[in-house]
Amino acid sequence: MTRILTTASIIISLNICCAALPQPVLLLDQQTDGPAIPLLQREIARQAVAQVFRDDLGYLCRDRALGAPAESPADLTVRFEFGQPSEHSLSVNLTGGPKGRETWNAVLETGNYLLLLEQACTEAANLATPRKSSGYPEKLPGQAAADSPRLTDLIDLLRTAHAEHLQNPSADSYALLIRGYAHLGQRCAHTWSASSKVYQARSLVYAQRFLREHPDSADALYLRAYALGLCGLHQLALNDLEAGKALQRKEPPSWMQPLECLLKFDTDALIETANSEHPQCVTAGLMAMMTLEYTPFDSRIFETYDRLNTKPDENLRVLALLNEAGGVRAMHKTTMEGLEQMKLMLRNDLLNHDLLPLRLQTY
């Protein structure tokens, strides 16, 4: 029950995120038949194309994989057809592209995620002339908003970052989009939908594009490490982290410290960070729980949860972890807690959001 309701909340929030704007609308269609493709590989290809339409061609993108209905009004509909994957490659055919480039065909490497990501971004860039980001700051800001425990705060952050990025792509807007989507992917990783892979792929695509623009930047490597780490590609993330440290003698941004602990499965260090005044203490609490997600010792998950001074109860992902690990009694408690948190989220966050019609805000 918790999972079903959580999925509904994500869709409601995304409808807020996709508020009507005076932009042409793109409907990103979802393949319903054909060969089975690993979701993250599929979404890297789809979101690389969507990112070009969104940021370089100025389209407002609606995605069938995120619940947009097939009959959604759109100025352009893009359809993907994935060929039967071979051992190391995936063929992609796109129809409905921009005028003069109505079709797009690519064969993408699947044996290496970094190569797949680079090829997808390179091929998608052929659909339009990419816009480069503006000046590069000496240090990326802390961006504490990306670590807020409230889902609506995260949605608002992404809406603002997209608006800023559309007007003036910058290192700051890239960083907010990369970390924001990485967090959103984890926030709904327990739902029965492809939404988490959509968000993770968006984070990876933005990280790859930023690294393509700034190949000698340690921060670009750190951001890609963040995206890779939160979608489960730990060794690739560690490689980027070490490469970033080799390029930059100064300390990495503060948000890299919890990630490095996650990549090394250092649960105790994450608990210590979560119980401190660290700017990413909330995120560290979630990461501490994530390090034990697949442990055969279920009691360790509950022990870790008890050691956290601030319980990340607003994060339904944490409750889902406890639900998976617990027996009948614990599952009953976490399921009921999930329903209670969903009620509070609807009442306090979504129904009071200023983007909703007034009649819904006062419901």
Side-chain angles (χ1 to χ4, degrees):
M1 180 64 73
T2 303
R3 291 187 173 194
I4 296 172
L5 287 174
T6 306
T7 304
S9 75
I10 296 293
I11 293 173
I12 292 171
S13 300
L14 282 166
N15 286 335
I16 294 174
C17 183
C18 296
L21 293 173
Q23 297 172 245
V25 176
L26 168 74
L27 178 63
L28 203 63
D29 208 352
Q30 185 177 19
Q31 185 174 2
T32 56
D33 54 9
I37 306 297
L39 282 180
L40 187 57
Q41 293 182 10
R42 183 194 80 179
E43 288 307 320
I44 286 175
R46 293 177 78 248
Q47 299 308 318
V49 171
Q51 193 264 345
V52 169
F53 274 95
R54 183 187 303 112
D55 297 333
D56 297 323
L57 298 174
Y59 278 80
L60 177 66
C61 294
R62 300 191 184 279
D63 197 332
R64 290 285 310 283
L66 295 177
E71 61 276 9
S72 295
D75 299 284
L76 187 64
T77 298
V78 170
R79 294 180 176 85
F80 288 82
E81 292 183 5
F82 292 92
Q84 188 67 40
S86 66
E87 185 177 357
H88 297 296
S89 64
L90 170 68
S91 63
V92 185
N93 297 316
L94 176 149
T95 57
K99 187 175 181 180
R101 298 175 182 177
E102 287 80 4
T103 61
W104 180 77
N105 303 291
V107 178
L108 306 178
E109 176 72 32
T110 58
N112 182 310
Y113 268 98
L114 290 186
L115 186 55
L116 168 65
L117 189 58
E118 173 62 22
Q119 286 182 332
C121 291
T122 300
E123 294 289 345
N126 293 329
L127 292 168
T129 302
R131 296 190 307 154
K132 293 188 178 294
S133 59
S134 59
Y136 188 80
E138 291 186 5
K139 183 179 180 181
L140 291 174
Q143 305 168 10
D147 299 277
S148 172
R150 297 178 59 187
L151 183 61
T152 48
D153 287 347
L154 193 52
I155 296 294
D156 285 341
L157 168 79
L158 288 168
R159 290 185 70 254
T160 302
H162 271 300
E164 293 176 355
H165 195 76
L166 190 61
Q167 295 297 322
N168 181 29
S170 66
D172 191 23
S173 64
Y174 266 115
L176 288 170
L177 290 167
I178 293 164
R179 295 189 63 238
Y181 274 122
H183 287 183
L184 189 56
Q186 276 300 323
R187 291 293 295 268
C188 59
H190 59 290
T191 59
W192 292 345
S193 74
S195 58
S196 65
K197 300 304 180 186
V198 172
Y199 303 136
Q200 289 170 359
R202 287 185 183 182
S203 177
L204 288 168
V205 166
Y206 276 111
Q208 186 66 25
R209 180 155 173 173
F210 186 53
L211 184 60
R212 283 161 60 92
E213 291 187 18
H214 304 282
D216 298 323
S217 164
D219 284 331
L221 285 166
Y222 291 148
L223 285 167
R224 191 174 71 171
Y226 206 93
L228 290 166
L230 262 68
C231 72
L233 299 172
H234 296 151
Q235 187 57 57
L236 294 177
L238 279 170
N239 294 344
D240 275 358
L241 176 61
E242 295 305 319
K245 288 180 178 179
L247 283 176
Q248 186 176 27
R249 295 184 180 275
K250 60 183 179 182
E251 286 296 312
S254 62
W255 38 263
M256 284 302 298
Q257 187 264 334
L259 178 73
E260 186 169 6
C261 295
L262 171 66
L263 299 178
K264 296 177 179 178
F265 289 83
D266 192 342
T267 309
D268 290 336
L270 284 167
I271 293 174
E272 182 179 347
T273 302
N275 292 339
S276 69
E277 299 297 324
H278 193 280
Q280 280 72 46
C281 59
V282 173
T283 299
L286 170 60
M287 289 180 173
M289 301 294 292
M290 288 168 58
T291 60
L292 300 171
E293 184 168 11
Y294 300 108
T295 179
F297 306 105
D298 295 344
S299 60
R300 285 204 63 197
I301 296 181
F302 289 93
E303 291 171 3
T304 298
Y305 182 74
D306 290 338
R307 290 172 62 189
L308 295 174
N309 292 341
T310 302
K311 308 299 183 188
D313 287 336
E314 286 189 36
N315 192 330
L316 296 175
R317 169 87 162 95
V318 173
L319 292 175
L321 287 173
L322 296 174
N323 190 290
E324 291 288 340
V328 174
R329 182 177 180 182
M331 287 177 65
H332 176 74
K333 182 178 179 180
T334 54
T335 298
M336 297 307 295
E337 182 65 24
L339 293 172
E340 183 64 24
Q341 289 300 324
M342 179 62 66
K343 181 179 74 174
L344 292 174
M345 184 187 301
L346 287 170
R347 185 179 65 196
N348 299 336
D349 295 345
L350 294 181
L351 292 182
N352 290 327
H353 201 286
D354 58 6
L355 287 175
L356 283 178
L358 184 61
R359 61 185 177 84
L360 291 180
Q361 293 183 41
T362 57
Y363 176 73

